[in-house]
């Protein structure tokens, strides 16, 4: 049975997917109706919500499959790093708490092993606990930034979908020129 925090995350993800599908349904007239130039359109709202709900889905929606694979890989790696660092943090946190309980018991009984527990807490468990907590938090910020960047990229890709950007290399009057043609 899933733990409550995983259940909350699952319900949140399902809510995002539902919002994306509703936004896609609301904007369905925009995806069918072409502009005056006849170029097809993609819904920017649907692309943004898809990109937010599932890594790379907004890019796949706009047929940018390489960007979609990159988003999946980067966001997946960051998600794995967050999970790994969180597990390490909680493991060292529990070990630190046990060492502190043992230290308190050693002090109360006036045992000679108090220095061992103090040394473990100060030089081993404490610094590692802080390190993995900081790494986890840093990776959460990187993931948030990556998701926001992915959402922005999906928005721009959906807005620019169907535009033809093709280089036009021509020889004019004996000189070489390069121009970019954009058909609207």
């Amino acid at each position: 049975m899933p733990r409550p925090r995983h259940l909350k995350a699952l319900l949140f993800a399902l809510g995002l997917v539902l919002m994306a599908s509703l936004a896609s349904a609301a904007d369905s007239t925009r995806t069918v109706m072409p502009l005056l130039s006849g170029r097809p359109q993609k819904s920017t709202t649907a692309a943004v919500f898809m990109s937010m709900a599932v890594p790379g889905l907004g890019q796949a929606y706009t047929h940018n499959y390489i960007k979609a694979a990159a988003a999946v890989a980067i966001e997946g790696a960051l998600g794995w790093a967050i999970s790994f660092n969180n597990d390490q943090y909680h493991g060292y946190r529990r070990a630190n708490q046990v060492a502190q309980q043992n230290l308190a018991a050693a002090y109360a009984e006036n045992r000679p092993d108090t220095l061992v527990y103090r040394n473990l807490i100060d030089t081993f468990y404490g610094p590692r606990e802080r390190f993995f907590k900081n790494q986890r938090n840093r990776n959460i910020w990187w993931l948030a930034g990556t998701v926001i960047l992915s959402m922005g990229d999906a928005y721009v890709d959906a807005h620019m979908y169907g535009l033809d950007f093709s280089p036009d290399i021509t020889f004019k009057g004996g000189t070489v020129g390069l121009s970019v043609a954009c058909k609207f």
Side-chain angles (χ1 to χ4, degrees):
M1 181 169 176
R3 297 192 318 214
R5 68 178 179 167
H6 289 95
L7 186 60
K8 289 178 186 177
L10 179 64
L11 289 174
F12 180 72
L14 288 174
L16 290 177
V17 170
L18 178 65
M19 287 188 328
S21 64
L22 290 175
S24 176
D27 285 344
S28 63
T29 57
R30 289 186 57 203
T31 58
V32 175
M33 191 171 58
L35 288 176
L36 295 176
S37 67
R39 76 176 172 93
Q41 269 190 317
K42 292 286 185 177
S43 170
T44 56
T45 306
V48 168
F49 278 112
M50 286 179 185
S51 186
M52 181 175 60
V54 179
L57 189 59
Q59 284 75 17
Y61 172 67
T62 58
H63 304 285
N64 289 316
Y65 300 112
I66 294 174
K67 287 183 182 180
V72 167
I74 292 169
E75 292 178 30
L78 285 170
W80 175 85
I82 290 168
S83 176
F84 173 79
N85 287 318
N86 190 49
D87 291 344
Q88 293 294 315
Y89 162 67
H90 285 291
Y92 281 111
R93 183 176 177 200
R94 282 190 296 277
N96 195 4
Q97 289 170 346
V98 168
Q100 287 179 355
Q101 290 170 353
N102 290 339
L103 176 64
Y107 272 133
E109 298 171 7
N110 201 14
R111 294 193 324 233
D113 58 349
T114 57
L115 290 177
V116 172
Y117 290 117
R118 172 57 49 203
N119 194 22
L120 274 174
I121 292 169
D122 291 342
T123 61
F124 191 75
Y125 295 131
R128 282 170 177 74
E129 176 185 350
R130 287 187 298 277
F131 172 78
F132 285 111
K133 181 180 178 182
N134 291 337
Q135 286 296 106
R136 179 201 63 188
N137 294 346
R138 185 175 296 120
N139 287 333
I140 288 171
W141 282 108
W142 276 106
L143 180 62
T146 303
V147 168
I148 290 170
L149 182 66
S150 176
M151 290 167 55
D153 179 63
Y155 176 85
V156 170
D157 286 344
H159 188 70
M160 304 291 280
Y161 183 78
L163 288 180
D164 181 25
F165 287 99
S166 56
D168 180 22
I169 301 174
T170 59
F171 291 102
K172 295 181 181 177
T175 62
V176 176
L178 176 67
S179 65
V180 176
C182 180
K183 300 175 185 173
F184 289 98

